[in-house]
Amino acid sequence: MNIRLLIDKLKLSLQKRTGKAQKKGGRCYAAWAAKGHIKQPLVSFVVQSHDKSLQVCSFLPQLRAFPDSEIIVIDDGSSLDHTQRLAEALTGANEFLVRANDLYENITYDKCLRFCNGRYVALLQDDDKIPGTEWAERAVSLFRQHPDMAILGGCDGRRVRFCMKERVDEATSNQTAEVSNRRSVDSSASPAPEKSYTSEEMSQGDFCFVMSVNRAPMWINRELYQQHLHHIDYRFAPFQSDDYELCMRAWTLGLKVGWYKLHFESLSVGGMRLYNNAFTKEMTKRNATLLYDLYADKEEEIMKRVEEANKRMN
Protein backbone atom coordinates (compact mmCIF):
# COMPACT_ATOMS: atom_id res chain seq x y z
CA MET A 1 0.00 0.00 0.00
CA ASN A 2 1.16 3.54 -0.75
CA ILE A 3 2.86 4.86 2.41
CA ARG A 4 0.95 8.15 2.35
CA LEU A 5 -2.34 6.29 1.97
CA LEU A 6 -1.39 4.02 4.91
CA ILE A 7 -0.55 7.00 7.15
CA ASP A 8 -3.84 8.68 6.22
CA LYS A 9 -5.75 5.48 6.99
CA LEU A 10 -4.19 5.27 10.44
CA LYS A 11 -4.89 8.95 11.12
CA LEU A 12 -8.55 8.65 10.16
CA SER A 13 -8.95 5.50 12.25
CA LEU A 14 -7.52 7.33 15.26
CA GLN A 15 -9.84 10.29 14.69
CA LYS A 16 -12.82 7.97 14.53
CA ARG A 17 -11.91 6.23 17.79
CA THR A 18 -11.23 9.47 19.68
CA GLY A 19 -14.21 11.38 18.24
CA LYS A 20 -11.97 14.16 16.95
CA ALA A 21 -13.15 13.83 13.38
CA GLN A 22 -16.19 16.06 13.95
CA LYS A 23 -16.20 19.30 11.97
CA LYS A 24 -16.14 22.56 13.91
CA GLY A 25 -19.65 23.84 14.54
CA GLY A 26 -21.13 20.38 14.09
CA ARG A 27 -23.30 19.04 11.28
CA CYS A 28 -27.05 18.63 11.44
CA TYR A 29 -30.13 18.73 9.23
CA ALA A 30 -30.93 22.35 10.14
CA ALA A 31 -27.49 23.48 8.99
CA TRP A 32 -27.89 21.55 5.75
CA ALA A 33 -31.40 22.90 5.10
CA ALA A 34 -30.18 26.44 5.69
CA LYS A 35 -28.03 26.16 2.58
CA GLY A 36 -31.24 26.47 0.54
CA HIS A 37 -30.67 23.81 -2.08
CA ILE A 38 -33.45 23.81 -4.72
CA LYS A 39 -34.30 20.26 -5.78
CA GLN A 40 -36.27 21.14 -8.91
CA PRO A 41 -35.36 24.64 -10.11
CA LEU A 42 -37.26 26.35 -12.88
CA VAL A 43 -34.07 27.16 -14.82
CA SER A 44 -30.61 25.63 -15.06
CA PHE A 45 -27.86 27.87 -16.42
CA VAL A 46 -25.10 25.72 -17.96
CA VAL A 47 -21.92 27.60 -18.92
CA GLN A 48 -19.15 26.09 -21.07
CA SER A 49 -15.75 27.55 -20.15
CA HIS A 50 -12.10 27.16 -21.06
CA ASP A 51 -9.59 29.55 -19.46
CA LYS A 52 -12.30 32.21 -19.13
CA SER A 53 -12.89 32.27 -15.37
CA LEU A 54 -12.72 36.07 -15.18
CA GLN A 55 -15.50 36.38 -17.73
CA VAL A 56 -17.67 33.74 -16.06
CA CYS A 57 -17.23 35.29 -12.62
CA SER A 58 -18.22 38.68 -14.02
CA PHE A 59 -21.71 37.49 -15.01
CA LEU A 60 -22.42 35.12 -12.11
CA PRO A 61 -24.33 37.91 -10.26
CA GLN A 62 -26.71 38.26 -13.23
CA LEU A 63 -27.41 34.51 -13.25
CA ARG A 64 -27.89 34.45 -9.48
CA ALA A 65 -30.43 37.27 -9.77
CA PHE A 66 -32.87 34.95 -11.54
CA PRO A 67 -34.95 33.25 -8.84
CA ASP A 68 -35.54 29.51 -8.66
CA SER A 69 -32.44 28.55 -10.63
CA GLU A 70 -29.18 26.66 -10.48
CA ILE A 71 -25.81 27.39 -12.09
CA ILE A 72 -23.51 24.76 -13.57
CA VAL A 73 -20.12 25.78 -14.95
CA ILE A 74 -18.27 23.30 -17.14
CA ASP A 75 -14.56 23.85 -16.62
CA ASP A 76 -13.28 22.08 -19.71
CA GLY A 77 -9.51 21.73 -19.64
CA SER A 78 -8.74 25.12 -18.08
CA SER A 79 -5.40 25.77 -16.46
CA LEU A 80 -5.49 25.30 -12.70
CA ASP A 81 -5.60 29.00 -11.82
CA HIS A 82 -8.90 29.29 -13.73
CA THR A 83 -10.23 26.14 -12.08
CA GLN A 84 -9.33 27.47 -8.65
CA ARG A 85 -10.97 30.85 -9.34
CA LEU A 86 -14.22 29.16 -10.42
CA ALA A 87 -14.17 26.80 -7.43
CA GLU A 88 -13.81 29.77 -5.06
CA ALA A 89 -16.59 31.71 -6.80
CA LEU A 90 -19.23 28.95 -7.00
CA THR A 91 -20.10 28.79 -3.32
CA GLY A 92 -23.90 28.46 -3.33
CA ALA A 93 -25.87 25.30 -2.69
CA ASN A 94 -27.27 25.57 -6.23
CA GLU A 95 -23.93 26.21 -7.92
CA PHE A 96 -21.80 23.42 -9.36
CA LEU A 97 -18.43 23.09 -11.05
CA VAL A 98 -18.01 20.21 -13.51
CA ARG A 99 -14.41 19.50 -14.48
CA ALA A 100 -13.66 17.89 -17.86
CA ASN A 101 -10.46 17.39 -19.82
CA ASP A 102 -10.75 19.13 -23.22
CA LEU A 103 -13.81 17.12 -24.28
CA TYR A 104 -15.54 20.15 -25.86
CA GLU A 105 -19.18 21.15 -25.85
CA ASN A 106 -20.86 18.23 -27.62
CA ILE A 107 -19.99 15.80 -24.83
CA THR A 108 -19.97 18.21 -21.89
CA TYR A 109 -23.33 19.83 -22.67
CA ASP A 110 -24.82 16.37 -23.16
CA LYS A 111 -23.48 15.22 -19.78
CA CYS A 112 -24.78 18.30 -17.99
CA LEU A 113 -28.23 18.04 -19.54
CA ARG A 114 -28.51 14.81 -17.57
CA PHE A 115 -26.90 16.32 -14.48
CA CYS A 116 -29.08 19.41 -14.14
CA ASN A 117 -32.61 19.55 -12.69
CA GLY A 118 -34.09 22.69 -14.25
CA ARG A 119 -37.34 22.57 -16.19
CA TYR A 120 -35.70 24.83 -18.77
CA VAL A 121 -31.96 24.78 -19.47
CA ALA A 122 -29.94 27.66 -20.91
CA LEU A 123 -26.74 26.51 -22.62
CA LEU A 124 -24.31 29.43 -22.41
CA GLN A 125 -20.74 30.29 -23.42
CA ASP A 126 -17.97 31.82 -21.35
CA ASP A 127 -17.77 35.01 -23.42
CA ASP A 128 -21.49 35.93 -23.19
CA LYS A 129 -22.37 39.31 -21.70
CA ILE A 130 -25.49 38.56 -19.64
CA PRO A 131 -27.99 41.49 -19.64
CA GLY A 132 -29.84 41.10 -16.32
CA THR A 133 -32.74 38.62 -16.11
CA GLU A 134 -35.31 39.80 -18.67
CA TRP A 135 -33.85 37.57 -21.41
CA ALA A 136 -34.42 34.50 -19.21
CA GLU A 137 -37.90 35.58 -18.14
CA ARG A 138 -38.85 36.03 -21.80
CA ALA A 139 -37.57 32.55 -22.68
CA VAL A 140 -39.60 30.92 -19.90
CA SER A 141 -42.69 32.84 -21.05
CA LEU A 142 -42.24 31.61 -24.65
CA PHE A 143 -41.87 28.00 -23.52
CA ARG A 144 -45.11 28.29 -21.57
CA GLN A 145 -46.88 29.76 -24.61
CA HIS A 146 -45.58 26.95 -26.85
CA PRO A 147 -45.55 23.70 -24.84
CA ASP A 148 -44.37 21.63 -27.83
CA MET A 149 -41.29 23.83 -28.39
CA ALA A 150 -38.23 21.82 -27.42
CA ILE A 151 -35.52 24.34 -28.34
CA LEU A 152 -35.31 28.13 -28.27
CA GLY A 153 -32.35 30.15 -29.54
CA GLY A 154 -31.38 33.73 -28.88
CA CYS A 155 -28.49 33.96 -31.34
CA ASP A 156 -29.08 33.26 -35.04
CA GLY A 157 -32.09 31.50 -36.46
CA ARG A 158 -30.99 29.68 -39.59
CA ARG A 159 -32.17 27.61 -42.48
CA VAL A 160 -29.59 25.05 -43.52
CA ARG A 161 -29.39 24.72 -47.28
CA PHE A 162 -27.65 21.57 -48.43
CA CYS A 163 -24.91 22.22 -50.98
CA MET A 164 -23.01 19.92 -53.32
CA LYS A 165 -19.70 18.29 -52.48
CA GLU A 166 -17.85 20.67 -54.79
CA ARG A 167 -18.70 23.60 -52.50
CA VAL A 168 -17.80 22.12 -49.12
CA ASP A 169 -14.31 23.69 -48.95
CA GLU A 170 -15.76 27.12 -49.68
CA ALA A 171 -18.55 26.55 -47.17
CA THR A 172 -16.25 25.47 -44.38
CA SER A 173 -13.81 28.31 -44.99
CA ASN A 174 -16.70 30.67 -44.33
CA GLN A 175 -17.87 28.55 -41.37
CA THR A 176 -21.42 28.49 -42.71
CA ALA A 177 -24.08 25.86 -42.23
CA GLU A 178 -23.87 24.65 -45.81
CA VAL A 179 -23.36 20.91 -45.90
CA SER A 180 -22.06 18.61 -48.59
CA ASN A 181 -22.88 15.30 -50.19
CA ARG A 182 -19.93 12.93 -50.29
CA ARG A 183 -21.68 10.77 -52.88
CA SER A 184 -21.38 11.28 -56.63
CA VAL A 185 -23.41 14.33 -57.61
CA ASP A 186 -24.12 16.51 -60.61
CA SER A 187 -21.37 19.13 -60.50
CA SER A 188 -23.52 21.52 -62.52
CA ALA A 189 -26.04 21.80 -59.69
CA SER A 190 -26.17 25.23 -58.09
CA PRO A 191 -26.05 24.98 -54.27
CA ALA A 192 -27.91 27.60 -52.28
CA PRO A 193 -26.19 29.35 -49.36
CA GLU A 194 -27.32 29.21 -45.77
CA LYS A 195 -30.23 31.55 -45.10
CA SER A 196 -30.25 33.55 -41.91
CA TYR A 197 -33.66 34.56 -40.64
CA THR A 198 -32.69 38.18 -40.21
CA SER A 199 -34.89 40.01 -42.68
CA GLU A 200 -38.46 39.01 -43.46
CA GLU A 201 -39.42 36.61 -40.69
CA MET A 202 -37.44 38.22 -37.90
CA SER A 203 -38.28 41.79 -38.83
CA GLN A 204 -41.95 40.99 -38.20
CA GLY A 205 -41.45 40.60 -34.48
CA ASP A 206 -39.23 39.28 -31.73
CA PHE A 207 -40.15 35.60 -32.06
CA CYS A 208 -40.70 33.04 -34.80
CA PHE A 209 -40.18 29.36 -35.52
CA VAL A 210 -37.04 28.49 -37.48
CA MET A 211 -35.35 25.44 -38.93
CA SER A 212 -32.41 25.67 -36.53
CA VAL A 213 -30.62 27.87 -34.04
CA ASN A 214 -27.05 27.93 -32.85
CA ARG A 215 -25.52 28.64 -29.49
CA ALA A 216 -25.62 30.75 -27.42
CA PRO A 217 -27.94 31.01 -25.65
CA MET A 218 -29.66 27.81 -26.64
CA TRP A 219 -32.59 26.95 -24.41
CA ILE A 220 -33.85 23.40 -23.92
CA ASN A 221 -37.22 22.22 -22.60
CA ARG A 222 -35.69 19.44 -20.52
CA GLU A 223 -38.86 17.33 -20.23
CA LEU A 224 -39.29 17.20 -24.02
CA TYR A 225 -35.56 16.61 -24.41
CA GLN A 226 -35.65 13.64 -22.06
CA GLN A 227 -38.80 12.17 -23.58
CA HIS A 228 -37.97 12.58 -27.27
CA LEU A 229 -34.44 13.79 -28.04
CA HIS A 230 -32.53 11.97 -25.27
CA HIS A 231 -29.02 13.12 -26.20
CA ILE A 232 -26.80 15.41 -28.24
CA ASP A 233 -25.54 13.27 -31.10
CA TYR A 234 -22.04 12.02 -30.18
CA ARG A 235 -21.25 11.39 -33.83
CA PHE A 236 -20.64 15.14 -34.11
CA ALA A 237 -18.16 15.16 -31.21
CA PRO A 238 -16.13 16.97 -30.20
CA PHE A 239 -18.06 19.95 -31.61
CA GLN A 240 -19.61 21.71 -34.61
CA SER A 241 -23.06 21.30 -36.21
CA ASP A 242 -24.49 19.21 -33.36
CA ASP A 243 -26.76 22.16 -32.51
CA TYR A 244 -28.16 22.13 -36.06
CA GLU A 245 -28.66 18.37 -35.88
CA LEU A 246 -30.53 18.60 -32.58
CA CYS A 247 -32.91 21.20 -34.04
CA MET A 248 -33.60 19.22 -37.21
CA ARG A 249 -34.17 16.07 -35.18
CA ALA A 250 -36.69 17.95 -33.05
CA TRP A 251 -38.72 18.95 -36.11
CA THR A 252 -38.74 15.41 -37.48
CA LEU A 253 -40.11 14.20 -34.12
CA GLY A 254 -43.00 16.65 -34.20
CA LEU A 255 -41.43 19.21 -31.87
CA LYS A 256 -40.73 22.88 -32.58
CA VAL A 257 -37.66 25.12 -32.62
CA GLY A 258 -38.03 28.82 -31.95
CA TRP A 259 -35.91 31.97 -32.15
CA TYR A 260 -36.34 35.12 -30.11
CA LYS A 261 -34.64 38.47 -30.50
CA LEU A 262 -31.72 38.64 -28.10
CA HIS A 263 -28.12 38.49 -29.34
CA PHE A 264 -25.74 38.66 -26.41
CA GLU A 265 -22.79 40.97 -26.70
CA SER A 266 -19.40 39.32 -26.30
CA LEU A 267 -17.15 39.91 -23.31
CA SER A 268 -14.10 38.74 -25.25
CA VAL A 269 -12.98 36.77 -28.25
CA GLY A 270 -14.88 33.47 -28.44
CA GLY A 271 -12.86 30.45 -27.35
CA MET A 272 -13.36 28.50 -30.57
CA ARG A 273 -11.88 31.29 -32.65
CA LEU A 274 -9.22 32.05 -30.07
CA TYR A 275 -7.96 28.54 -29.45
CA ASN A 276 -9.38 26.31 -32.19
CA ASN A 277 -9.58 28.17 -35.50
CA ALA A 278 -8.02 25.43 -37.64
CA PHE A 279 -9.70 22.69 -35.59
CA THR A 280 -13.08 24.36 -36.15
CA LYS A 281 -12.60 24.37 -39.92
CA GLU A 282 -11.64 20.68 -39.78
CA MET A 283 -14.72 19.79 -37.75
CA THR A 284 -17.04 21.89 -39.92
CA LYS A 285 -15.89 20.02 -43.01
CA ARG A 286 -16.06 16.63 -41.30
CA ASN A 287 -19.53 17.12 -39.85
CA ALA A 288 -20.96 18.73 -42.98
CA THR A 289 -21.16 15.40 -44.77
CA LEU A 290 -22.64 13.71 -41.71
CA LEU A 291 -25.36 16.35 -41.43
CA TYR A 292 -26.10 15.93 -45.14
CA ASP A 293 -26.46 12.17 -44.85
CA LEU A 294 -28.87 12.53 -41.95
CA TYR A 295 -31.10 15.38 -43.15
CA ALA A 296 -30.67 16.37 -46.81
CA ASP A 297 -33.68 14.27 -47.78
CA LYS A 298 -35.71 15.81 -44.94
CA GLU A 299 -35.05 19.48 -45.74
CA GLU A 300 -38.35 20.05 -47.56
CA GLU A 301 -40.37 18.26 -44.89
CA ILE A 302 -38.75 20.26 -42.08
CA MET A 303 -39.26 23.60 -43.83
CA LYS A 304 -42.90 22.76 -44.45
CA ARG A 305 -43.37 22.17 -40.72
CA VAL A 306 -41.58 25.44 -39.91
CA GLU A 307 -43.81 27.41 -42.27
CA GLU A 308 -46.98 25.75 -40.96
CA ALA A 309 -46.00 26.48 -37.37
CA ASN A 310 -45.47 30.17 -38.17
CA LYS A 311 -48.80 30.38 -40.03
CA ARG A 312 -50.69 28.84 -37.10
CA MET A 313 -49.03 31.27 -34.72
CA ASN A 314 -50.10 34.24 -36.84
Side-chain angles (χ1 to χ4, degrees):
M1 180 181 290
N2 181 292
I3 186 64
R4 293 181 63 184
L5 181 60
L6 178 60
I7 292 172
D8 191 61
K9 179 181 178 180
L10 294 173
K11 184 181 81 171
L12 293 174
S13 297
L14 182 61
Q15 288 178 338
K16 181 180 179 181
R17 288 177 180 275
T18 60
K20 293 183 178 181
Q22 299 297 320
K23 293 285 186 178
K24 289 183 179 180
R27 290 186 172 182
C28 62
Y29 178 80
W32 176 85
K35 293 179 180 290
H37 176 254
I38 303 172
K39 297 178 181 178
Q40 294 182 306
L42 179 63
V43 168
S44 294
F45 298 109
V46 180
V47 184
Q48 176 84 11
S49 182
H50 175 86
D51 283 347
K52 294 279 190 69
S53 59
L54 287 173
Q55 288 82 354
V56 173
C57 290
S58 74
F59 60 69
L60 282 178
Q62 282 74 28
L63 299 184
R64 288 171 176 147
F66 188 90
D68 197 9
S69 65
E70 65 181 2
I71 300 170
I72 300 166
V73 177
I74 305 165
D75 180 33
D76 190 18
S78 295
S79 56
L80 291 179
D81 56 329
H82 288 278
T83 303
Q84 182 176 353
R85 183 178 291 116
L86 290 171
E88 291 173 351
L90 295 165
T91 57
N94 304 294
E95 299 176 1
F96 306 90
L97 181 62
V98 177
R99 171 74 182 183
N101 296 310
D102 283 325
L103 294 178
Y104 294 89
E105 58 192 31
N106 176 293
I107 293 172
T108 55
Y109 276 142
D110 181 82
K111 292 283 187 185
C112 285
L113 278 166
R114 288 192 290 273
F115 175 73
C116 67
N117 287 332
R119 183 172 181 179
Y120 307 111
V121 182
L123 303 181
L124 304 171
Q125 301 282 327
D126 53 16
D127 61 326
D128 292 332
K129 184 176 181 180
I130 308 298
T133 62
E134 185 177 351
W135 65 280
E137 294 164 1
R138 173 65 172 152
V140 170
S141 175
L142 287 167
F143 275 119
R144 287 171 172 166
Q145 292 174 45
H146 306 282
D148 57 350
M149 183 171 68
I151 300 169
L152 175 66
C155 188
D156 292 327
R158 297 185 175 184
R159 173 176 180 176
V160 176
R161 294 286 186 90
F162 292 92
C163 73
M164 299 298 104
K165 182 178 181 179
E166 287 73 13
R167 288 286 298 277
V168 70
D169 289 328
E170 178 183 342
T172 54
S173 67
N174 294 325
Q175 296 186 24
T176 73
E178 290 182 299
V179 296
S180 73
N181 177 7
R182 62 167 167 255
R183 303 181 184 88
S184 176
V185 295
D186 178 7
S187 60
S188 65
S190 177
E194 165 195 316
K195 175 185 176 184
S196 181
Y197 294 80
T198 55
S199 53
E200 299 152 14
E201 294 94 340
M202 292 186 172
S203 65
Q204 301 300 315
D206 63 355
F207 172 79
C208 66
F209 294 111
V210 294
M211 184 186 200
S212 63
V213 293
N214 61 354
R215 294 182 289 257
M218 186 177 190
W219 287 87
I220 305 289
N221 180 321
R222 197 168 65 91
E223 182 177 2
L224 294 180
Y225 178 89
Q226 291 176 322
Q227 290 178 355
H228 303 282
L229 296 168
H230 307 300
H231 65 94
I232 297 175
D233 195 330
Y234 275 8
R235 288 174 291 181
F236 289 83
F239 62 92
Q240 205 67 12
S241 300
D242 55 276
D243 45 5
Y244 294 133
E245 188 283 328
L246 191 65
C247 293
M248 293 184 209
R249 181 159 27 115
W251 281 111
T252 63
L253 293 172
L255 304 171
K256 291 185 175 70
V257 176
W259 167 90
Y260 74 127
K261 192 173 183 179
L262 180 60
H263 274 288
F264 285 155
E265 294 181 29
S266 181
L267 287 167
S268 61
V269 178
M272 287 299 178
R273 294 181 182 179
L274 182 63
Y275 304 119
N276 303 293
N277 197 24
F279 193 8
T280 298
K281 291 180 180 179
E282 176 189 359
M283 290 307 305
T284 301
K285 185 173 182 178
R286 174 187 177 275
N287 287 344
T289 53
L290 175 56
L291 196 64
Y292 186 102
D293 287 343
L294 292 172
Y295 294 102
D297 62 345
K298 299 178 178 63
E299 178 183 1
E300 185 176 343
E301 172 196 350
I302 292 173
M303 282 311 302
K304 183 178 179 180
R305 295 186 179 190
V306 174
E307 291 164 4
E308 289 176 349
N310 281 315
K311 287 179 182 177
R312 286 195 295 270
M313 184 178 63
N314 297 326

